[in-house]
Amino acid sequence: MYQGYEQHQALQITERISIEPLLTKHASTLLSVVNESRESLSQYLPWTDWVTNRREAVAYISQRINSNALDAYWFAINLNQEFVGVLGIKGIETQSKATEIGYWLAEKGRGHQIIDLVLMSLVPLIRERGNAKVIQFHCMEDNIPSIKIAERAGATLKEYIDHDFEMLDASQRL
């Protein structure tokens, strides 16, 4: 992805924002951040109901970083050297050559244009160095902030799809 990813080095996005490879060492901090923002995160993320202790935070991270998906990369997002969220390039679907970018931010990370700025750095790297031909964002249809971020990154609405997330509003589409 970027030079230094395999060595677990941070990539400085701006003076205040950096990303680094997500590792299980982030589990305690991730859990703390999720606990602080659980109510708002649970509106759109089904996994928040089961990430309630350090063991489950390790499992959450491990599921992502050990997925074995082609060109999958997971990042811890830092604001002023403080963990505030996760961004994942979820791997390439081999036939369509599409990859999905997913992310979440704790409440304390919102309002700083973090995802916009990270995407301005990562999308060109995905295009230059990756095997993806298409970049997708899946957002719940009432998650207006995420939809606007995807649009600013160049995304356009292609289709609505139903979801099977039991903990989320079934009337909402992705």
Side-chain angles (χ1 to χ4, degrees), residues 9-143:
Q9 296 173 348
L11 176 63
Q12 201 67 40
I13 304 296
T14 69
E15 186 176 305
R16 299 176 56 215
I17 301 166
S18 65
I19 59 173
E20 62 183 302
L22 183 65
L23 299 168
T24 54
K25 74 174 188 174
H26 295 108
S28 294
T29 307
L30 182 143
L31 178 61
S32 176
V33 167
V34 168
N35 284 339
E36 292 169 8
S37 299
R38 186 173 305 280
E39 186 174 335
S40 63
L41 291 173
S42 67
Q43 293 177 46
Y44 302 110
L45 302 169
W47 55 263
T48 57
D49 283 350
W50 61 265
V51 176
T52 59
N53 60 50
R54 187 178 183 291
R55 181 180 46 81
E56 291 159 344
V58 168
Y60 166 87
I61 292 169
S62 295
Q63 284 175 349
R64 282 144 183 82
I65 66 175
N66 297 320
S67 73
N68 294 322
L70 175 65
D71 286 348
Y73 301 94
W74 290 90
F75 301 94
I77 303 169
N78 300 304
L79 176 64
N80 298 321
Q81 300 179 346
E82 183 180 0
F83 180 98
V84 294
V86 170
L87 182 137
I89 302 165
K90 297 183 177 184
I92 295 177
E93 201 287 314
T94 53
Q95 288 187 338
S96 68
K97 300 290 186 199
T99 190
E100 179 189 349
I101 295 178
Y103 56 86
W104 61 266
L105 283 176
E107 291 170 8
K108 64 184 170 185
R110 298 176 195 159
H112 301 278
Q113 296 185 315
I114 293 172
I115 300 300
D116 290 300
L117 293 165
V118 170
L119 290 174
M120 286 173 58
S121 293
L122 286 183
V123 168
L125 289 174
I126 294 167
R127 288 188 178 133
E128 290 171 21
R129 300 181 187 164
N131 296 307
K133 303 275 189 252
V134 175
I135 299 172
Q136 300 177 338
F137 296 86
H138 294 175
C139 307
M140 297 295 284
E141 66 184 325
D142 70 343
N143 189 345

